[in-house]
Amino acid sequence: STRDDVSPEAILAGHRERTIGRMMSHEFVIVVQDTTDLNFSSRPQTTGLGKLGTNQTAAVSLGLQLHTSLAMTEDGIPLGVLKSVAFAPKDRAKNPTNATIPIEEKETFRWIVGHRGCVEIARRIPKTRILSIMDREADFFELFADAEETRNRVGLLVRAKWNRQLVDSERKLFETLRESDSKATVEVEIPRQRWKKAKGKK
């Protein structure tokens, strides 16, 4: 077999097509993007890892990050993974955020790629409405500008990170939300103790 046969995209291809097929049978589908850390600090001989962060003692954690797009029903039933990309995060000290760097060269571009993937799938399954959901890391202007043209076909919901100025208003986002009426309340029960007891403790 060639190297292309065992690439991450090739491995996921069959599952991705099945996922799109399952999406087709729903009128509305949510696609959630998120990034998770794969910590390989216990394998110091491994090459090609990136710096995930540091803990309270300044010990560096090494590993990869995995950015995944998961399709699900509005009831939260998983339909499958559409895209999953692993990469070694760059050292931010050596690669500071710079507005002059093209967005395509920034790590944040992965959020745009994931959303464009939803737009591409929406063209294949025109009877299914897609809502693309992302967390605070995706709150940047280039994503919103990129998604504007296709927002009637693929909705975009991003958890706000920045207190942005509202269009045609002197007010900002967070103050406006705080002063607006609540539309819904959700109660979440959080247990007082861990489900599993720590080792060595009764």
Side-chain angles (χ1 to χ4, degrees), residues 133-174:
I133 300 180
M134 306 173 200
D135 72 7
R136 298 172 75 227
E137 192 181 348
D139 186 2
F140 60 95
F141 176 78
E142 291 91 345
L143 170 66
F144 301 127
D146 196 84
E148 174 65 24
E149 188 178 330
T150 56
R151 69 179 180 160
N152 291 330
R153 282 291 300 122
V154 179
L156 178 63
L157 177 62
V158 177
R159 182 182 175 195
K161 179 178 182 179
W162 306 109
N163 191 16
R164 298 182 182 278
Q165 184 75 40
L166 299 179
V167 176
D168 299 327
S169 173
E170 297 295 318
R171 305 181 67 190
K172 290 199 171 185
L173 175 64
F174 295 165

Side-chain angles (χ1 to χ4, degrees), residues 57-100:
T57 63
V60 176
S61 296
L62 297 176
L64 300 173
Q65 289 188 317
L66 186 68
H67 190 79
T68 303
S69 295
L70 173 69
M72 62 180 74
T73 68
E74 56 189 314
D75 297 324
I77 299 170
L79 299 173
V81 174
L82 294 170
K83 192 169 185 67
S84 194
V85 179
F87 61 95
K90 296 172 184 170
D91 188 340
R92 285 185 173 84
K94 294 179 182 175
N95 297 282
T97 303
N98 189 332
T100 61

